[in-house]
Amino acid sequence: MEYRRLGKSGLQVSALSFGTWLTFGKQIDDKTADKLLSIAYDAGVNFFDGAEIYARGKAEEVLGKILKSKDWSRSSYIVSSKVFFGWEKDLPNQRGLSRKHIFEACEAAIKRLHVDYLDLFFCHRPDKNTPIEETVEAMNTLIQQGKILYWGTSEWSGVEIAIAHYYAAKNGLIGPLMEQPQYNMFEREKMEKEYRMLFREFGMGTTIWSPLASGLLSGKYNNADPKDTRLFIEGMDWLKNRTLAKDRIEKAKRLGQFADKLGVPMAQLGLAWCLKNPNVSTVILGASKVDQLKQNLGALEIVPKLTDKVMNSIENILRNKPVQPEY
Ligand code: NDP
């Protein structure tokens, strides 16, 4: 396993990490979850990603139960939670980034995960109804209390992140360290354009999500019509429509042919392409099956194959490279 510093911090995170969205507490049983987590840990994965909203708290309960049952030293892994969407009903104050919900969400995640503190705590989305100052202050307080070690954002705009930094610096508070954006061959704007100055100015780290665009970039929808996948879980039509959009399928087919020519599994190519970006601190893997995870864990070996020539060929298929400002 390769380890990368999370942004400018001293924290070392495995280049491949493991997430629980849609799988833990929902799509897979607890035994499979245990197996997957153990395979990841044994392969050197040291970061597990949770969120209050995943299966409305159940994903973190499953993750916590597994962590508690292992004899893994607490110093050997990093665990996260995310606050914003809530896990209860949708009453006022049960979601968002107010000081109240941030405190209550942190306490609840610590309990579900059976840990004394969270290593990483993310603001899962920006909250248009709470001043950014209130959120920065609440996160700083949690750090002072020893309940979290680092805080960050997920899917915030570059401007919102910069405001958080500005307020933190002005008031001697600890600002956000990391962002969790979607990043894959189809979603590139934030990582390759919008955040560029944040990497340079603030040493921001990133824990990127959906590296395989929910499985599309594994190639499994290229010539087949599998139904035992997340896209066919009840209520996931929105994800199915986005994932199986015609232009994406067409590109995925061409990427599949290219991966065949290169002699690598398409999933590994998609993950290695993400790993190649030096601003990616860790690629969060998702997997509902043991074979998927085992294949994905091999992606680091493919990175050296991504020469300039190979990257250019991929670019010619994707044709979506964000345009950089000329100044
Ligand atoms: P991916 O895009 O990699 O999708 C993972 C899914 O793709 C798997 O569950 C499986 O789904 C399928 N798959 C994975 N590998 C293979 C393979 N080798 N062959 C065939 N199919 C494969 O990642 P996720 O969308 O799961 O995101 C990863 C993590 O990122 C999440 O678990 C979560 O922790 C985090 N996340 C954060 C978000 C945020 O807003 N901050 C949003 C979303 C995710 P299937 O069961 O369909 O086969």
Side-chain angles (χ1 to χ4, degrees):
M1 181 56 66
E2 174 190 328
Y3 297 89
R4 298 180 177 183
R5 281 174 62 204
L6 185 56
K8 67 177 180 195
S9 80
L11 190 70
Q12 296 201 48
V13 64
S14 49
L16 296 171
S17 44
F18 189 54
T20 56
W21 180 52
L22 291 179
T23 50
F24 282 42
K26 195 168 178 145
Q27 194 186 356
I28 61 176
D29 59 33
D30 296 3
K31 232 173 108 188
T32 309
D34 188 320
K35 224 188 251 171
L36 292 169
L37 205 74
S38 305
I39 290 170
Y41 184 84
D42 289 343
V45 166
N46 76 351
F47 166 40
F48 307 124
D49 186 54
E52 57 175 0
I53 184 66
Y54 294 170
R56 294 239 165 214
K58 270 201 234 133
E60 289 188 343
E61 280 172 19
V62 174
L63 177 58
K65 217 165 92 185
I66 301 170
L67 290 175
K68 195 176 164 199
S69 73
K70 304 286 175 191
D71 57 358
W72 301 342
S73 145
R74 181 66 183 87
S75 57
S76 69
Y77 63 86
I78 295 163
V79 67
S80 74
S81 183
K82 304 187 203 84
V83 51
F84 178 78
F85 293 105
W87 72 96
E88 299 170 284
K89 296 196 180 112
D90 282 328
L91 295 176
N93 303 319
Q94 291 184 339
R95 55 180 284 149
L97 298 178
S98 67
R99 185 174 289 123
K100 179 171 171 65
H101 186 59
I102 287 179
F103 272 56
E104 289 169 354
C106 181
E107 289 292 333
I110 282 175
K111 273 204 195 102
R112 285 191 292 264
L113 291 164
H114 298 291
V115 290
D116 297 324
Y117 60 90
L118 305 173
D119 299 277
L120 310 181
F121 200 30
F122 292 89
C123 299
H124 210 157
R125 292 292 180 268
D127 179 355
K128 309 291 179 197
N129 297 311
T130 301
I132 289 178
E133 297 142 51
E134 182 174 336
T135 299
V136 175
E137 281 168 14
M139 287 294 184
N140 183 75
T141 303
L142 287 177
I143 292 178
Q144 305 310 325
Q145 292 176 336
K147 294 192 172 173
I148 65 172
L149 301 186
Y150 303 90
W151 77 277
T153 56
S154 179
E155 295 294 335
W156 281 32
S157 70
V159 170
E160 286 159 338
I161 296 168
I163 291 172
H165 276 286
Y166 170 76
Y167 183 76
K170 196 169 140 206
N171 293 283
L173 306 175
I174 299 175
L177 169 67
M178 67 286 171
E179 212 324 296
Q180 186 166 130
Q182 182 174 185
Y183 185 51
N184 56 52
M185 287 176 172
F186 296 124
E187 295 283 343
R188 305 173 60 177
E189 281 293 315
K190 277 195 155 74
M191 277 300 290
E192 293 183 28
K193 186 173 176 189
E194 187 178 343
Y195 292 162
R196 273 172 65 122
M197 276 185 81
L198 303 178
F199 297 132
R200 196 184 71 199
E201 299 294 321
F202 302 118
M204 183 172 85
T206 59
T207 64
I208 63 124
W209 62 268
S210 281
L212 293 179
S214 269
L216 176 63
L217 288 167
S218 72
K220 67 181 177 196
Y221 300 101
N222 285 0
N223 303 305
D225 192 16
K227 292 282 187 284
D228 61 334
T229 77
R230 64 167 55 172
L231 303 187
F232 295 88
I233 300 174
E234 207 187 314
M236 298 310 285
D237 283 350
W238 63 272
L239 188 65
K240 183 164 73 182
N241 295 339
R242 185 171 81 187
T243 305
L244 302 183
K246 198 166 160 245
D247 59 324
R248 289 194 172 198
I249 292 271
E250 276 164 14
K251 284 182 183 174
K253 284 185 179 168
R254 292 186 59 201
L255 287 163
Q257 289 159 1
F258 182 70
D260 286 348
K261 251 206 266 168
L262 207 61
V264 300
M266 186 172 157
Q268 290 185 353
L269 181 69
L271 296 168
W273 182 91
C274 295
L275 285 163
K276 178 104 176 149
N277 184 330
N279 293 318
V280 169
S281 315
T282 182
V283 171
I284 313 179
L285 302 175
S288 62
K289 297 180 179 64
V290 165
D291 288 350
Q292 294 174 350
L293 181 59
K294 285 188 174 163
Q295 180 175 64
N296 296 350
L297 286 167
L300 274 161
E301 287 157 35
I302 304 303
V303 179
K305 292 195 181 206
L306 299 192
T307 58
D308 289 352
K309 195 169 161 226
V310 167
M311 290 300 273
N312 278 337
S313 303
I314 294 173
E315 210 63 82
N316 280 335
I317 296 172
L318 296 177
R319 299 205 167 274
N320 61 359
K321 194 178 172 66
V323 180
Q324 305 297 339
E326 277 172 20
Y327 46 86

